[in-house]
Amino acid sequence: MKSLREDALRIIEDSISSVLPERAVEQELRKLDLGDKIYLVAIGKAAWRMAKSAKDCLKDKVKGGVVITKYGHSQGPIEGLKIYEAGHPIPDENTISSTKEAVELAKGLSKDDTVLFLVSGGGSALFELPVDGVSLEDIKNVTDMLLRCGANIVEINAIRKRMSQVKGGRFALMASPAKVYSLVLSDVLGDRLDSIASGPAYPDSTTVEDVRKIIRKYDLKLPRHILQSLSEETPKSLDNVETRIIGSVSKVCESAKNVAASLGYNAMILTTTLDCEASEAGLFLAAIAREEVEKERPLKRPCAIILGGETVVHVKGTGKGGRNQELVLSAARGIRNYQGVVIASVGTDGTDGPTDAAGGIVDGRTATLLEEAGIDIDDVLNDNDSYHALQKVNSLIRTGPTGTNVNDLIFILCY
């Protein structure tokens, strides 16, 4: 079992390394001619590393810029750029002040200037300036409401766009007549460009009617002034923007498949769009693992079955955890006493919910070890306290901030 866990950690490490932003940014910039007057704006959890790579590549062509990333994700000064850290997943005052800096930069540009807009996961929270009549507290409350009711990222962003001066294509409008080149690390399933970071520089495909459906779906009770902001339509076309995706969950899953194969596993990608309830996904993965152990299908063992995506958690309790931790804890119930099975799930950004863990890893012994420690898995899941349960049995995965964010990597290893 120790070897399986070691292999799982190797797959995680090497796969995440394959989607780190430095090489992707450099490779893309070498294909582009952005001129000699470039202004850089980078937002998201990978913003610092993307900005550093761009500055190293473009050197003195970069005349200035603003970098906004999550607390703890900056790695120091970058010459000529202003570096800010701000709140995620809930925006804070630093989000507002740093976004104002980026807006002021963009508004002062001419048609001879170019904005290099570097976007990564977390950009929705880290790049924010409320519309008139809406406060930061309003945005916090609505975001928290949406997270707790289990809304997916596309639904959350459809709402947030209309409460913001910079989302839903509005930042690109501010930068006009300057040209905007947007390089994107996608953290949205299906790589919907209007949803990644709420699409600050991409035409918005969601409509006011879509927003009304989301409100009805989750029975959201919103104040009148917020409903008013949600009734304003977003830009449906932009003529000053070019956008390219330089990393995604599909790439990290392909890498995981290749690493697993190099370690001697028969490997397959089952899906890159897993988006159901985390605890249900865990039961589903456990069922696949049992099928492998008992009937050796869909692959001959040793095998690696790989999934990508982003599950959701409907928060019912007051515990601590994240969707990846909840997924593997739920899976532990279904593989109890099954030898030669490991199930792992991690956020590629190195953080899972409001915790210091990237995710978790379980095997056939985990459920028994928890029981011996006096922990009931069902009780823990009902309280959304997966972090403390997995911590008790040494089943948390900690990578630290990775500098990238392309959804979650989930896989089963069977020997």
Side-chain angles (χ1 to χ4, degrees):
M1 198 63 66
K2 182 179 179 182
S3 175
L4 274 182
R5 284 192 169 226
E6 289 174 349
D7 286 349
L9 296 177
R10 169 76 179 278
I11 290 168
I12 291 166
E13 181 180 357
D14 289 1
S15 300
I16 291 175
S17 293
S18 76
V19 290
L20 294 180
E22 291 87 348
R23 180 179 295 178
V25 168
E26 180 182 354
Q27 287 178 340
E28 198 61 42
L29 288 178
R30 295 198 182 283
K31 304 174 188 175
L32 299 174
D33 180 7
L34 303 183
D36 296 325
K37 292 178 64 181
I38 302 168
Y39 295 87
L40 187 152
V41 177
I43 63 170
K45 297 176 188 176
W48 189 95
R49 294 176 74 162
M50 295 177 80
K52 181 65 166 61
S53 178
K55 186 65 168 65
D56 289 346
C57 185
L58 298 171
K59 303 187 186 313
D60 294 340
K61 291 182 179 180
V62 178
K63 305 305 180 185
V66 174
V67 179
I68 311 172
T69 194
K70 182 179 177 178
Y71 292 117
H73 284 53
S74 169
Q75 297 178 32
I78 302 174
E79 184 180 358
L81 305 180
K82 297 179 180 179
I83 313 294
Y84 298 98
E85 292 185 327
H88 180 276
I90 306 298
D92 60 11
E93 291 297 338
N94 284 346
T95 308
I96 304 301
S97 59
S98 55
T99 302
K100 284 181 178 177
E101 290 271 359
V103 166
E104 288 305 310
L105 176 76
K107 283 184 173 179
L109 302 180
S110 73
K111 63 181 178 60
D112 298 321
D113 299 320
T114 298
V115 176
L116 177 59
F117 191 42
L118 306 174
V119 181
S120 57
S124 284
L126 294 164
F127 194 55
E128 185 58 274
L129 189 60
V131 297
D132 292 342
V134 173
S135 68
L136 176 60
E137 195 62 29
D138 287 330
I139 292 176
K140 288 181 181 179
N141 291 340
V142 172
T143 301
D144 185 59
M145 189 185 304
L146 290 162
L147 288 169
R148 284 186 169 274
C149 74
N152 64 43
I153 190 65
V154 173
E155 293 170 327
I156 292 170
N157 288 348
I159 299 285
R160 290 196 286 202
K161 288 173 188 178
R162 288 164 175 79
M163 301 171 69
S164 171
Q165 295 185 45
V166 294
K167 293 176 167 53
R170 290 167 172 167
F171 179 67
L173 281 182
M174 290 177 176
S176 183
K179 180 73 173 178
V180 179
Y181 281 90
S182 185
L183 304 186
V184 178
L185 284 175
S186 172
D187 70 333
V188 173
L189 302 188
D191 299 334
R192 282 186 57 167
L193 288 168
D194 66 327
S195 193
I196 300 167
S198 298
Y202 199 81
D204 183 25
S205 67
T206 67
T207 65
V208 169
E209 182 54 35
D210 292 330
V211 169
R212 291 175 182 145
K213 289 178 181 178
I214 294 166
I215 293 170
R216 290 195 297 268
K217 177 180 178 179
Y218 296 107
D219 193 24
L220 301 177
K221 307 301 183 185
L222 301 174
R224 181 175 298 177
H225 67 285
I226 291 178
L227 291 173
Q228 176 61 38
S229 72
L230 299 181
S231 68
E232 300 293 327
E233 200 48 273
T234 46
K236 301 305 178 211
S237 64
L238 294 166
D239 60 8
N240 65 324
V241 178
E242 184 173 331
T243 305
R244 303 187 183 190
I245 293 177
I246 60 173
S248 67
V249 70
S250 294
K251 183 171 181 180
V252 81
C253 286
E254 286 290 345
S255 178
K257 178 182 174 183
N258 293 337
V259 176
S262 74
L263 294 173
Y265 294 89
N266 295 312
M268 67 174 289
I269 297 172
L270 187 60
T271 181
T272 58
T273 58
L274 186 70
D275 62 352
C276 60
E277 183 78 23
S279 60
E280 293 297 323
L283 293 176
F284 172 59
L285 265 68
I288 295 173
R290 294 195 302 271
E291 191 79 7
E292 272 296 339
V293 172
E294 295 171 7
K295 299 180 180 178
E296 202 162 10
R297 62 187 183 198
L299 296 175
K300 288 191 175 296
R301 299 194 304 272
C303 67
I305 300 172
I306 298 156
L307 305 88
E310 188 168 293
T311 58
V312 296
V313 173
H314 289 80
V315 178
K316 305 179 291 290
T318 59
K320 181 178 181 179
R323 59 181 180 264
N324 293 285
Q325 295 161 59
E326 191 148 314
L327 186 155
V328 298
L329 185 61
S330 177
R333 296 177 292 179
I335 58 171
R336 183 184 183 120
N337 297 327
Y338 276 76
Q339 300 301 308
V341 176
V342 157
I343 297 177
S345 185
V346 294
T348 54
D349 62 353
T351 57
D352 183 33
T355 77
D356 62 354
I361 183 169
V362 296
D363 57 37
R365 300 172 300 170
T366 304
T368 300
L369 292 174
L370 286 166
E371 185 178 278
E372 291 172 353
I375 296 170
D376 183 278
I377 292 178
D378 289 331
D379 289 345
V380 169
L381 289 171
N382 285 332
D383 195 32
N384 302 114
D385 199 28
S386 53
Y387 177 89
H388 292 115
L390 293 172
Q391 187 177 45
K392 278 278 190 182
V393 292
N394 196 32
S395 289
L396 292 172
I397 296 175
R398 292 185 175 93
T399 62
T402 64
T404 193
N405 184 20
V406 289
N407 300 115
D408 300 335
L409 173 64
I410 307 148
F411 58 89
I412 306 164
L413 296 183
C414 289
Y415 190 77

